[in-house]
Amino acid sequence: MHNTTAMLIELGAIILALGLLGRFAGHVGFSPIPLYLLAGLAFGHGGFLPLDASEEFTATGAEIGVILLLLLLGLEYSASELVTNLKTQYPSGAIDFVLNAVPGAAAALILGWGPVAAVALAGVTWISSSGVIAKVLGDLRRLGNRETPVVLGVLVIEDLAMAVYLPILTALLAGVSLAGGTVTLLISLGAVGAVLYLALRHGRLISRAVSSDNAEMLLLVVLGLTLLVAGIAQELQVSAAVGAFLVGIALSGEVAEGASTLLTPLRDLFAAVFFVFFGLSTDPADIPPVLVPALILAVITSLTKIATGWYAARRAGVGSAGRWRAGGTLVARGEFSIVIAGLAVGVEPRIGPLATAYVLILVIIGPLTARWTEPIARRIARRPPPAALDVPAAAEPAEALHTHH
């Protein structure tokens, strides 16, 4: 009984603290992710006030957080959008992978962490934070800009690439043989292909089967189905996160919108718990030794992300100012980097502290580069602003409004 009481008090304190931190982040106009990570560091082993009673519950909550993050991500895309993006944006996706995954892999090998950690750290530095970037675009009133579809296109390719990358990483971390890893990858690719095919051909039927006018029933069916598929995916060594992402893609139309509305508050709660749990499982004393590599990686991969956005926007025919804006917007890393590091901590414990420091740096720098990359590039070029060819008329009032703030 005493244990349960202690757990309730700890959980109440954690969730209340998260609410207050989230509110503070909202007032400042910043992502709450770094504050959640810092809270986890403060209350974890080696922190100011270690919490023990609620550790098991927090670990389970963190797993649910990852599953809900990926489910909601899948619900944002229809299968046809994914296929269209894949056809038009794959060169940008390939450049993104080479420029941003290679520095992470190289850093792990230089640090002597071995090939499996190299694959994991490649993922940490590769994937931008969809959540932080979407918020930044909204805050800067750039949703109508000509370069914004390019930014979103790169993010979509990254999210789809996760459906292939995560099963490979999971298999490597489990120490599966080459043959076993190939089977896992084929299962994963087969599942992605099958879900895209079914969603394209029979999306309405799947959505109709899940659909309900009763919000409670819809929530229970979608959440139950997601957890079930995620569990089966994990059993097949494919990764629970990928299973959840595929469920999200399979649902479309009104069902996807309804489920998204119902599940967003739940996702926000458990995602916050996930970031705190990651902080809890990282000893603050382990961060100073990896701070310099994290800082070097952050600088290099900020520049490579700016180059990625610039290239992708140039391919889409966006003007010079829009290219720099696209590049600066893509810099932030967040939820995916932490998910990947969380998976890899068992193989290389130092990847956790490094990823924490890396994400803390880039989730703070990201909104700043989004705002300042274009003005700085223009100042360096020492020329007046180009004619507003790369911003559609609809976006001009929003940008004009923004400059008056």
Side-chain angles (χ1 to χ4, degrees):
M1 184 72 186
H2 173 70
N3 254 2
T4 313
T5 310
M7 186 182 81
L8 286 173
I9 291 168
E10 281 190 7
L11 274 178
I14 289 170
I15 292 168
L16 177 62
L18 291 178
L20 295 172
L21 287 172
R23 185 182 283 187
F24 172 73
H27 278 310
V28 180
F30 234 65
S31 164
I33 293 173
L35 298 179
Y36 296 156
L37 285 171
L38 289 171
L41 288 171
F43 295 119
H45 303 295
F48 303 119
L49 186 66
L51 303 177
D52 297 318
S54 57
E55 202 167 341
E56 203 174 313
F57 183 91
T58 314
T60 308
E63 277 190 47
I64 294 170
V66 174
I67 288 165
L68 289 175
L69 272 170
L70 272 287
L71 168 66
L72 269 288
L73 200 58
L75 287 172
E76 283 176 28
Y77 305 129
S78 69
S80 55
E81 275 175 343
L82 282 175
V83 172
T84 308
N85 254 302
L86 203 53
K87 283 177 184 169
T88 56
Q89 296 272 17
Y90 72 89
S92 302
I95 291 288
D96 181 30
F97 171 73
V98 172
L99 288 182
N100 297 290
V102 171
L109 294 173
I110 290 165
L111 291 165
W113 292 357
V116 177
V119 173
L121 198 56
V124 170
T125 57
W126 171 23
I127 306 293
S128 295
S129 167
S130 309
V132 174
I133 289 168
K135 187 178 185 313
V136 166
L137 285 170
D139 290 348
L140 295 180
R141 303 187 177 185
R142 288 187 186 166
L143 291 169
N145 281 23
R146 173 106 186 263
E147 77 273 2
T148 298
V150 175
V151 171
L152 298 177
V154 171
L155 294 176
V156 172
I157 293 279
E158 286 183 354
D159 295 338
L160 200 50
M162 281 289 94
V164 178
Y165 168 81
L166 283 174
I168 295 172
L169 181 63
T170 311
L172 286 172
L173 294 169
V176 175
S177 65
L178 184 64
T182 308
V183 170
T184 300
L185 183 57
L186 288 174
I187 290 171
S188 174
L189 287 173
V192 173
V195 167
L196 286 175
Y197 174 79
L198 286 171
L200 282 168
R201 298 274 173 197
H202 310 291
R204 282 185 188 160
L205 286 174
I206 298 168
S207 296
R208 202 178 298 157
V210 174
S211 179
S212 171
D213 291 335
N214 185 320
E216 184 187 342
M217 295 305 124
L218 180 63
L219 179 66
L220 290 172
V221 170
V222 173
L223 189 57
L225 178 67
T226 305
L227 293 173
L228 182 67
V229 171
I232 293 167
Q234 196 150 329
E235 198 65 36
L236 294 170
Q237 300 267 311
V238 169
S239 155
V242 171
F245 183 57
L246 294 179
V247 171
I249 292 169
L251 301 175
S252 59
E254 285 179 23
V255 175
E257 282 174 34
S260 189
T261 307
L262 290 169
L263 286 163
T264 297
L266 206 57
R267 187 262 327 257
D268 292 344
L269 167 65
F270 282 105
V273 170
F274 164 68
F275 291 120
V276 167
F277 175 72
F278 189 81
L280 287 173
S281 53
T282 305
D283 189 334
D286 293 338
I287 289 181
V290 293
L291 205 49
V292 172
L295 201 53
I296 294 168
L297 261 185
V299 171
I300 292 169
T301 54
S302 293
L303 297 173
T304 52
K305 271 292 179 189
I306 290 170
T308 300
W310 194 92
Y311 170 81
R314 181 168 164 263
R315 271 193 78 244
V318 175
S320 176
R323 292 176 201 174
W324 288 112
R325 281 198 296 270
T329 306
L330 283 168
V331 167
R333 311 295 203 281
E335 57 278 11
F336 263 137
S337 301
I338 298 294
V339 169
I340 294 160
L343 290 171
V345 162
V347 169
E348 176 47 72
R350 287 168 295 182
I351 207 166
L354 183 110
T356 304
Y358 177 77
V359 168
L360 281 171
I361 294 164
L362 284 185
V363 89
I364 291 165
I365 290 176
L368 301 176
T369 57
R371 194 182 294 255
W372 295 110
T373 303
E374 181 227 337
I376 289 169
R378 207 164 57 216
R379 196 164 295 168
I380 291 167
R382 291 205 176 141
R383 57 182 183 215
L389 289 172
D390 58 317
V391 181
E396 280 170 18
E399 294 233 319
L401 270 173
H402 175 65
T403 53
H404 290 305
H405 279 305

